[in-house]
Amino acid sequence: MTDDSPSSPYSRPVSPETSAGHPVTGKKLRSRHVMMITLGGIIGASLFVGSGNVIRSVGPAAILSYLLGGLLVFLAMRMLGEMAAARPTIGSFMEYARVGLGDWAAYLVGWLYWYFWVGVLAYEAVLGGETLHEWFALLPSWAWSLLLILIFIGTNAISVRTFGEVEFWLASIKVIAIVVFLGAGLLFALGLWPNASFSVPNLWEHGGFAPNGIGVALTGVALVIFSYFGTEIAVMAAAESEDPAKGIRQATSTVIWRILLFFVGAVLVITMVIPWNELPEPVNVAAAPFTQVFALLGLPGAAVVMQLVIFTAVISVLNSGLYSASRMFAALADQGFAPRLVAKRSRNGVPLWALVASTSGAVVATIVNFAAPASGVFDFIMNSAGLVALFVYVFIALTQMRLRQKMTPEEAAGLKLRMWLHPWLNILLIAAIAAVFVVMLTTEAGRTQVWTSLIATGLLIAVWPLVRRNLRRRRASADAEVPSA
């Protein structure tokens, strides 16, 4: 068996009931689960707390930064949606990269994506453990972190339906908090809230809309694009739903208004209510911009409420991150890029070994952080995963472009979901990501992420010849077992 793809990218589609030949059994996600995962999947601490850093650096023009970053993500999701609607599979973009670009691309993007989530799981576990320790000091932070990991191993291990139900309620809390924030904040900015005055001019009265220059707003895209990463989880989850095609169309078609409402809308409200140069550095929840706005609204216990909401966001990411990491790891094993053991699934279709292996990486990183915080190992893991979002979007653009090139005009016309202006928007997305990459090299923190990410990628490339050799042996053995006609 060679690295060649079939003549038509969808001539042998993977059924939504399978992942590389493994049946997906057990209870599946319902439409409401996919809908709420789609709505709340990308709302995390990076929005609730991290938006303050972006606004303080860019000014009100941070609205443009979030808008441009969201546009790039929207284009990538549309490309992914075209492929997923025609070929629903749990492996998602890793499987499409294999069909469109070859084994090397699937291997690289799959392992990088899994590595990213291992780092995220460690970060969220540490953050959640420290938050619980502040509330309940009877256990040390590391114990709380490990307990959280065990809890969400359980929610993921029972069934995909259990994962979806937990994520449904966690995402619901985040969505409700955002909606309340947007509604009350808008009334306050318009002077329609008790004891409030018209504050919309905050957008331009304190040094202008772009006080640090419009160029800084463009460089701000590099800061915000990582806040959107995780949108693709909805497409992966839709492949395990009762109606994959509907879920995928829903996830990809509504992403633009989710970005406009939750991210751009939230930043717009913050910059209208509070002068950008008066925002404190968000070193904790009490200083987060969302908390500051709720405090101005006169809502009692604003800091406590936001701490609860942000903790919900943390454990939501922990829950969905375990799902994403385990599914990608299992898909890697299905294709021969990881040990076969990892591909084994329970009767409910859950890849338990992949789940445990993904968690093990997070546990090690978490223990290292608490046991040897000065070692730099934890920081390396977090920084080296920094460019994965950009890598994944580039692979999605290249893969969709390649798969469309392989299609006949009739096949392209029959697509359930189509990318517009092909291939020009693909080229635009790749060029924009290259620009973000260059911008990252202009800051010390950005350069750290670039170089550590390149080191991690280089290690994967160095191992590829061994993986390819094993892959060829595995496929030769499989071909030898098939009786000749």
Side-chain angles (χ1 to χ4, degrees), residues 122-123 125-127 130 141-142 145 362-379 381-382:
Y123 175 78
V126 168
L127 187 59
E130 290 175 346
S141 298
W142 64 266
S145 296
V363 169
V364 170
T366 303
I367 292 175
V368 167
N369 176 68
F370 286 114
S375 67
V377 174
F378 185 79
D379 289 338
I381 293 173
M382 295 308 303

Side-chain angles (χ1 to χ4, degrees), residues 191-204:
L192 302 177
W193 191 267
N195 303 319
S197 58
F198 188 72
S199 61
V200 174
N202 280 331
L203 288 173
W204 58 81

Side-chain angles (χ1 to χ4, degrees), residues 93-104:
F93 48 85
M94 189 275 288
E95 168 66 9
Y96 308 138
R98 185 188 67 82
V99 176
L101 302 177
D103 289 325
W104 67 271

